[in-house]
Short mmCIF file of all heavy atoms in Angstrom, two decimals:
data_model
loop_
_atom_site.label_atom_id
_atom_site.label_comp_id
_atom_site.label_asym_id
_atom_site.label_seq_id
_atom_site.Cartn_x
_atom_site.Cartn_y
_atom_site.Cartn_z
N THR A 1 -6.99 26.99 33.94
CA THR A 1 -6.94 28.43 33.76
C THR A 1 -8.18 28.93 33.01
O THR A 1 -8.57 30.06 33.17
CB THR A 1 -5.71 28.87 32.93
OG1 THR A 1 -5.69 28.12 31.68
CG2 THR A 1 -4.41 28.56 33.73
N ASN A 2 -8.79 28.05 32.23
CA ASN A 2 -10.05 28.36 31.52
C ASN A 2 -11.23 27.69 32.23
O ASN A 2 -11.40 26.46 32.08
CB ASN A 2 -9.94 27.93 30.05
CG ASN A 2 -11.13 28.34 29.25
OD1 ASN A 2 -12.28 28.39 29.71
ND2 ASN A 2 -10.87 28.73 27.99
N ALA A 3 -11.96 28.42 33.03
CA ALA A 3 -13.02 27.83 33.81
C ALA A 3 -14.12 27.22 32.94
O ALA A 3 -14.68 26.16 33.28
CB ALA A 3 -13.61 28.89 34.76
N VAL A 4 -14.49 27.88 31.86
CA VAL A 4 -15.53 27.37 31.00
C VAL A 4 -15.11 26.05 30.39
O VAL A 4 -15.88 25.07 30.31
CB VAL A 4 -15.86 28.39 29.84
CG1 VAL A 4 -16.81 27.75 28.82
CG2 VAL A 4 -16.44 29.64 30.45
N ARG A 5 -13.85 25.95 29.98
CA ARG A 5 -13.34 24.68 29.40
C ARG A 5 -13.36 23.59 30.48
O ARG A 5 -13.71 22.44 30.15
CB ARG A 5 -11.90 24.90 28.91
CG ARG A 5 -11.25 23.63 28.36
CD ARG A 5 -9.89 23.97 27.76
NE ARG A 5 -8.99 24.60 28.73
CZ ARG A 5 -7.87 25.26 28.39
NH1 ARG A 5 -7.55 25.46 27.10
NH2 ARG A 5 -7.07 25.78 29.34
N PHE A 6 -13.01 23.92 31.71
CA PHE A 6 -13.00 22.90 32.74
C PHE A 6 -14.46 22.37 32.98
O PHE A 6 -14.61 21.15 33.07
CB PHE A 6 -12.45 23.49 34.06
CG PHE A 6 -12.34 22.48 35.17
CD1 PHE A 6 -11.20 21.70 35.28
CD2 PHE A 6 -13.34 22.30 36.10
CE1 PHE A 6 -11.06 20.77 36.27
CE2 PHE A 6 -13.25 21.40 37.10
CZ PHE A 6 -12.10 20.61 37.21
N GLY A 7 -15.40 23.27 33.06
CA GLY A 7 -16.79 22.84 33.21
C GLY A 7 -17.26 21.99 32.07
O GLY A 7 -17.98 20.96 32.29
N GLN A 8 -16.91 22.32 30.84
CA GLN A 8 -17.30 21.53 29.66
C GLN A 8 -16.68 20.13 29.72
O GLN A 8 -17.37 19.14 29.46
CB GLN A 8 -16.94 22.22 28.42
CG GLN A 8 -17.41 21.53 27.13
CD GLN A 8 -18.89 21.29 27.08
OE1 GLN A 8 -19.68 22.15 27.53
NE2 GLN A 8 -19.33 20.14 26.56
N ARG A 9 -15.41 20.06 30.06
CA ARG A 9 -14.74 18.77 30.12
C ARG A 9 -15.34 17.92 31.22
O ARG A 9 -15.48 16.71 31.05
CB ARG A 9 -13.24 18.95 30.43
CG ARG A 9 -12.47 19.59 29.28
CD ARG A 9 -10.96 19.64 29.56
NE ARG A 9 -10.39 18.28 29.51
CZ ARG A 9 -9.15 17.97 29.89
NH1 ARG A 9 -8.36 18.95 30.39
NH2 ARG A 9 -8.68 16.78 29.83
N LEU A 10 -15.76 18.52 32.26
CA LEU A 10 -16.39 17.78 33.37
C LEU A 10 -17.73 17.25 32.96
O LEU A 10 -18.04 16.04 33.20
CB LEU A 10 -16.50 18.64 34.61
CG LEU A 10 -17.13 18.01 35.88
CD1 LEU A 10 -16.44 16.74 36.28
CD2 LEU A 10 -17.17 18.99 37.03
N ARG A 11 -18.53 18.06 32.29
CA ARG A 11 -19.83 17.59 31.79
C ARG A 11 -19.67 16.40 30.84
O ARG A 11 -20.39 15.44 30.85
CB ARG A 11 -20.59 18.68 31.09
CG ARG A 11 -21.04 19.81 32.03
CD ARG A 11 -21.88 20.83 31.27
NE ARG A 11 -21.94 22.08 31.99
CZ ARG A 11 -21.11 23.09 31.81
NH1 ARG A 11 -20.15 23.04 30.89
NH2 ARG A 11 -21.24 24.18 32.52
N GLU A 12 -18.66 16.48 29.96
CA GLU A 12 -18.42 15.42 29.00
C GLU A 12 -17.98 14.14 29.69
O GLU A 12 -18.25 13.04 29.14
CB GLU A 12 -17.35 15.86 27.97
CG GLU A 12 -17.82 16.97 27.08
CD GLU A 12 -16.66 17.55 26.25
OE1 GLU A 12 -15.49 17.14 26.46
OE2 GLU A 12 -16.94 18.39 25.38
N ARG A 13 -17.34 14.26 30.82
CA ARG A 13 -16.84 13.05 31.54
C ARG A 13 -17.97 12.37 32.32
O ARG A 13 -17.87 11.11 32.55
CB ARG A 13 -15.70 13.50 32.45
CG ARG A 13 -15.21 12.48 33.43
CD ARG A 13 -14.65 11.20 32.80
NE ARG A 13 -14.26 10.26 33.77
CZ ARG A 13 -15.09 9.45 34.48
NH1 ARG A 13 -16.44 9.55 34.22
NH2 ARG A 13 -14.65 8.61 35.35
N LEU A 14 -18.99 13.08 32.70
CA LEU A 14 -20.09 12.50 33.46
C LEU A 14 -21.04 11.70 32.59
O LEU A 14 -21.17 11.99 31.36
CB LEU A 14 -20.87 13.62 34.16
CG LEU A 14 -20.07 14.45 35.19
CD1 LEU A 14 -20.85 15.70 35.64
CD2 LEU A 14 -19.76 13.59 36.42
N ASP A 15 -21.67 10.70 33.16
CA ASP A 15 -22.58 9.89 32.42
C ASP A 15 -23.91 10.57 32.06
O ASP A 15 -24.57 10.20 31.11
CB ASP A 15 -22.91 8.59 33.20
CG ASP A 15 -21.64 7.73 33.35
OD1 ASP A 15 -20.75 7.82 32.50
OD2 ASP A 15 -21.57 6.97 34.36
N ALA A 16 -24.29 11.54 32.87
CA ALA A 16 -25.58 12.19 32.64
C ALA A 16 -25.39 13.71 32.53
O ALA A 16 -24.36 14.25 32.96
CB ALA A 16 -26.50 11.91 33.86
N ASP A 17 -26.35 14.37 31.91
CA ASP A 17 -26.30 15.82 31.78
C ASP A 17 -26.52 16.42 33.20
O ASP A 17 -27.54 16.20 33.82
CB ASP A 17 -27.39 16.29 30.85
CG ASP A 17 -27.33 17.79 30.57
OD1 ASP A 17 -26.22 18.32 30.63
OD2 ASP A 17 -28.37 18.40 30.34
N VAL A 18 -25.56 17.21 33.60
CA VAL A 18 -25.62 17.79 34.98
C VAL A 18 -25.51 19.32 34.87
O VAL A 18 -24.63 19.83 34.13
CB VAL A 18 -24.48 17.27 35.83
CG1 VAL A 18 -24.50 17.91 37.23
CG2 VAL A 18 -24.55 15.74 35.94
N ASP A 19 -26.40 20.02 35.57
CA ASP A 19 -26.39 21.49 35.58
C ASP A 19 -25.31 21.95 36.52
O ASP A 19 -25.47 21.87 37.74
CB ASP A 19 -27.77 21.96 36.00
CG ASP A 19 -27.89 23.50 36.01
OD1 ASP A 19 -26.94 24.15 35.52
OD2 ASP A 19 -28.93 24.00 36.50
N LEU A 20 -24.18 22.39 35.97
CA LEU A 20 -23.09 22.80 36.82
C LEU A 20 -22.37 24.01 36.18
O LEU A 20 -22.42 24.20 34.98
CB LEU A 20 -22.12 21.68 37.08
CG LEU A 20 -21.29 21.13 35.88
CD1 LEU A 20 -20.01 21.90 35.59
CD2 LEU A 20 -20.92 19.67 36.14
N ARG A 21 -21.73 24.81 37.03
CA ARG A 21 -20.91 25.91 36.59
C ARG A 21 -19.57 25.84 37.26
O ARG A 21 -19.49 25.63 38.44
CB ARG A 21 -21.56 27.24 36.92
CG ARG A 21 -20.76 28.49 36.43
CD ARG A 21 -21.35 29.75 36.95
NE ARG A 21 -22.72 29.97 36.51
CZ ARG A 21 -23.50 30.94 36.93
NH1 ARG A 21 -23.00 31.84 37.84
NH2 ARG A 21 -24.72 31.06 36.53
N ALA A 22 -18.50 25.98 36.44
CA ALA A 22 -17.15 25.99 36.98
C ALA A 22 -16.65 27.40 37.09
O ALA A 22 -16.81 28.16 36.13
CB ALA A 22 -16.22 25.17 36.07
N GLU A 23 -16.10 27.77 38.25
CA GLU A 23 -15.60 29.09 38.48
C GLU A 23 -14.30 29.03 39.22
O GLU A 23 -14.09 28.14 40.06
CB GLU A 23 -16.61 30.00 39.24
CG GLU A 23 -17.90 30.27 38.49
CD GLU A 23 -18.76 31.20 39.28
OE1 GLU A 23 -18.23 31.86 40.24
OE2 GLU A 23 -19.95 31.34 38.96
N HIS A 24 -13.44 30.00 38.97
CA HIS A 24 -12.21 30.11 39.77
C HIS A 24 -12.56 30.61 41.16
O HIS A 24 -13.46 31.52 41.30
CB HIS A 24 -11.22 31.05 39.10
CG HIS A 24 -10.69 30.52 37.79
ND1 HIS A 24 -10.69 31.24 36.61
CD2 HIS A 24 -10.17 29.30 37.46
CE1 HIS A 24 -10.21 30.52 35.62
NE2 HIS A 24 -9.87 29.33 36.10
N GLU A 25 -11.88 30.14 42.16
CA GLU A 25 -12.12 30.54 43.57
C GLU A 25 -13.57 30.35 44.02
O GLU A 25 -14.08 31.11 44.85
CB GLU A 25 -11.67 31.95 43.77
CG GLU A 25 -10.14 32.19 43.48
CD GLU A 25 -9.68 33.59 43.74
OE1 GLU A 25 -10.54 34.47 44.15
OE2 GLU A 25 -8.51 33.88 43.54
N ALA A 26 -14.16 29.31 43.46
CA ALA A 26 -15.58 29.05 43.82
C ALA A 26 -15.67 28.63 45.31
O ALA A 26 -16.72 28.82 45.94
CB ALA A 26 -16.15 27.92 42.98
N ASP A 27 -14.57 28.10 45.88
CA ASP A 27 -14.59 27.69 47.26
C ASP A 27 -14.71 28.92 48.17
O ASP A 27 -15.18 28.82 49.34
CB ASP A 27 -13.38 26.87 47.65
CG ASP A 27 -12.08 27.51 47.21
OD1 ASP A 27 -12.07 28.56 46.56
OD2 ASP A 27 -10.99 26.94 47.53
N ALA A 28 -14.29 30.07 47.74
CA ALA A 28 -14.40 31.32 48.51
C ALA A 28 -15.73 32.04 48.21
O ALA A 28 -16.12 32.92 48.96
CB ALA A 28 -13.19 32.23 48.26
N THR A 29 -16.33 31.68 47.09
CA THR A 29 -17.55 32.41 46.63
C THR A 29 -18.82 31.71 47.11
O THR A 29 -19.82 32.35 47.50
CB THR A 29 -17.57 32.54 45.11
OG1 THR A 29 -16.38 33.20 44.66
CG2 THR A 29 -18.76 33.35 44.64
N TYR A 30 -18.84 30.37 47.04
CA TYR A 30 -20.05 29.61 47.33
C TYR A 30 -19.79 28.70 48.52
O TYR A 30 -18.87 27.92 48.58
CB TYR A 30 -20.45 28.78 46.11
CG TYR A 30 -20.64 29.59 44.85
CD1 TYR A 30 -19.70 29.58 43.83
CD2 TYR A 30 -21.79 30.33 44.69
CE1 TYR A 30 -19.88 30.33 42.68
CE2 TYR A 30 -22.02 31.08 43.53
CZ TYR A 30 -21.03 31.09 42.55
OH TYR A 30 -21.19 31.85 41.43
N ARG A 31 -20.71 28.80 49.49
CA ARG A 31 -20.60 27.99 50.72
C ARG A 31 -20.57 26.49 50.40
O ARG A 31 -19.83 25.74 51.07
CB ARG A 31 -21.78 28.31 51.64
CG ARG A 31 -21.78 29.72 52.22
CD ARG A 31 -23.12 30.09 52.76
NE ARG A 31 -23.61 29.24 53.74
CZ ARG A 31 -23.25 29.16 55.00
NH1 ARG A 31 -22.31 30.03 55.43
NH2 ARG A 31 -23.74 28.31 55.87
N ILE A 32 -21.31 26.07 49.40
CA ILE A 32 -21.39 24.63 49.11
C ILE A 32 -20.06 24.13 48.56
O ILE A 32 -19.63 23.01 48.85
CB ILE A 32 -22.54 24.35 48.14
CG1 ILE A 32 -22.82 22.85 48.04
CG2 ILE A 32 -22.27 24.93 46.77
CD1 ILE A 32 -23.40 22.23 49.24
N VAL A 33 -19.33 24.98 47.81
CA VAL A 33 -18.01 24.58 47.32
C VAL A 33 -16.98 24.69 48.41
O VAL A 33 -16.06 23.88 48.51
CB VAL A 33 -17.58 25.44 46.10
CG1 VAL A 33 -16.24 24.98 45.54
CG2 VAL A 33 -18.65 25.39 44.98
N GLY A 34 -17.17 25.67 49.29
CA GLY A 34 -16.31 25.75 50.50
C GLY A 34 -16.42 24.48 51.33
O GLY A 34 -15.39 23.97 51.84
N ALA A 35 -17.63 23.96 51.43
CA ALA A 35 -17.81 22.72 52.19
C ALA A 35 -17.05 21.54 51.52
O ALA A 35 -16.45 20.76 52.24
CB ALA A 35 -19.31 22.40 52.27
N ALA A 36 -17.09 21.51 50.20
CA ALA A 36 -16.39 20.45 49.50
C ALA A 36 -14.87 20.62 49.67
O ALA A 36 -14.12 19.66 49.83
CB ALA A 36 -16.74 20.46 48.00
N SER A 37 -14.45 21.87 49.68
CA SER A 37 -13.01 22.15 49.91
C SER A 37 -12.56 21.67 51.25
O SER A 37 -11.46 21.05 51.36
CB SER A 37 -12.82 23.72 49.80
OG SER A 37 -11.51 24.06 50.15
N VAL A 38 -13.37 21.85 52.28
CA VAL A 38 -13.02 21.41 53.60
C VAL A 38 -12.97 19.87 53.68
O VAL A 38 -12.04 19.27 54.24
CB VAL A 38 -14.04 21.93 54.65
CG1 VAL A 38 -13.84 21.23 56.01
CG2 VAL A 38 -13.88 23.46 54.81
N ILE A 39 -13.94 19.19 53.11
CA ILE A 39 -13.97 17.71 53.14
C ILE A 39 -12.76 17.15 52.39
O ILE A 39 -12.11 16.22 52.85
CB ILE A 39 -15.28 17.20 52.48
CG1 ILE A 39 -16.51 17.59 53.30
CG2 ILE A 39 -15.20 15.69 52.33
CD1 ILE A 39 -16.61 16.91 54.64
N ALA A 40 -12.44 17.72 51.22
CA ALA A 40 -11.27 17.24 50.46
C ALA A 40 -9.98 17.49 51.23
O ALA A 40 -9.07 16.62 51.23
CB ALA A 40 -11.21 17.96 49.10
N LYS A 41 -9.87 18.63 51.85
CA LYS A 41 -8.66 18.96 52.59
C LYS A 41 -8.45 18.03 53.79
O LYS A 41 -7.33 17.59 54.08
CB LYS A 41 -8.63 20.44 53.02
CG LYS A 41 -7.45 20.88 53.85
CD LYS A 41 -6.14 20.73 53.10
CE LYS A 41 -4.97 21.30 53.93
NZ LYS A 41 -3.64 21.01 53.31
N VAL A 42 -9.51 17.76 54.49
CA VAL A 42 -9.46 16.87 55.63
C VAL A 42 -9.04 15.47 55.19
O VAL A 42 -8.27 14.77 55.87
CB VAL A 42 -10.76 16.88 56.43
CG1 VAL A 42 -10.82 15.72 57.46
CG2 VAL A 42 -11.00 18.22 57.14
N ALA A 43 -9.54 15.02 54.06
CA ALA A 43 -9.21 13.71 53.54
C ALA A 43 -7.72 13.73 53.16
O ALA A 43 -6.99 12.70 53.43
CB ALA A 43 -10.04 13.36 52.28
N ARG A 44 -7.27 14.73 52.52
CA ARG A 44 -5.82 14.86 52.15
C ARG A 44 -4.93 14.87 53.43
O ARG A 44 -3.89 14.22 53.49
CB ARG A 44 -5.61 16.08 51.31
CG ARG A 44 -4.17 16.57 51.17
CD ARG A 44 -3.35 15.68 50.30
NE ARG A 44 -1.92 16.09 50.44
CZ ARG A 44 -0.89 15.50 49.84
NH1 ARG A 44 -1.12 14.44 49.05
NH2 ARG A 44 0.34 15.89 50.02
N ASP A 45 -5.36 15.65 54.40
CA ASP A 45 -4.52 15.71 55.66
C ASP A 45 -4.48 14.36 56.36
O ASP A 45 -3.39 13.96 56.86
CB ASP A 45 -5.20 16.75 56.66
CG ASP A 45 -4.98 18.19 56.18
OD1 ASP A 45 -4.18 18.41 55.26
OD2 ASP A 45 -5.68 19.06 56.73
N ALA A 46 -5.58 13.62 56.37
CA ALA A 46 -5.51 12.27 56.93
C ALA A 46 -4.60 11.35 56.18
O ALA A 46 -3.87 10.52 56.77
CB ALA A 46 -6.97 11.69 56.97
N HIS A 47 -4.57 11.52 54.85
CA HIS A 47 -3.68 10.76 54.01
C HIS A 47 -2.20 11.04 54.35
O HIS A 47 -1.41 10.13 54.46
CB HIS A 47 -3.96 11.11 52.55
CG HIS A 47 -3.10 10.43 51.57
ND1 HIS A 47 -3.06 9.07 51.37
CD2 HIS A 47 -2.22 10.99 50.64
CE1 HIS A 47 -2.22 8.78 50.38
NE2 HIS A 47 -1.67 9.92 49.94
N VAL A 48 -1.90 12.35 54.57
CA VAL A 48 -0.48 12.73 54.87
C VAL A 48 -0.08 12.19 56.28
O VAL A 48 0.98 11.74 56.45
CB VAL A 48 -0.37 14.24 54.80
CG1 VAL A 48 1.02 14.66 55.27
CG2 VAL A 48 -0.57 14.74 53.36
#
């Protein structure tokens, strides 16, 4: 629910400093996140 917190937790989990921004509904806002959304959904559908 807190996008800033999510982004910070993700940076802390990564081994290297990564320039990233976490946003709600980023899959609808940014084409590159939409692409990741499609890849993840297809993987999940294959699993089901």
Side-chain angles (χ1 to χ4, degrees):
T1 55
N2 186 321
V4 173
R5 177 174 60 198
F6 185 85
Q8 183 59 36
R9 292 186 71 189
L10 179 55
R11 291 185 199 92
E12 292 171 355
R13 171 61 183 76
L14 297 169
D15 294 333
D17 185 29
V18 177
D19 183 7
L20 65 86
R21 181 188 300 173
E23 294 186 14
H24 295 129
E25 299 182 0
D27 51 355
T29 304
Y30 303 103
R31 292 163 55 80
I32 192 67
V33 184
S37 173
V38 169
I39 295 292
K41 178 61 174 170
V42 168
R44 164 71 191 178
D45 287 347
H47 178 62
V48 173

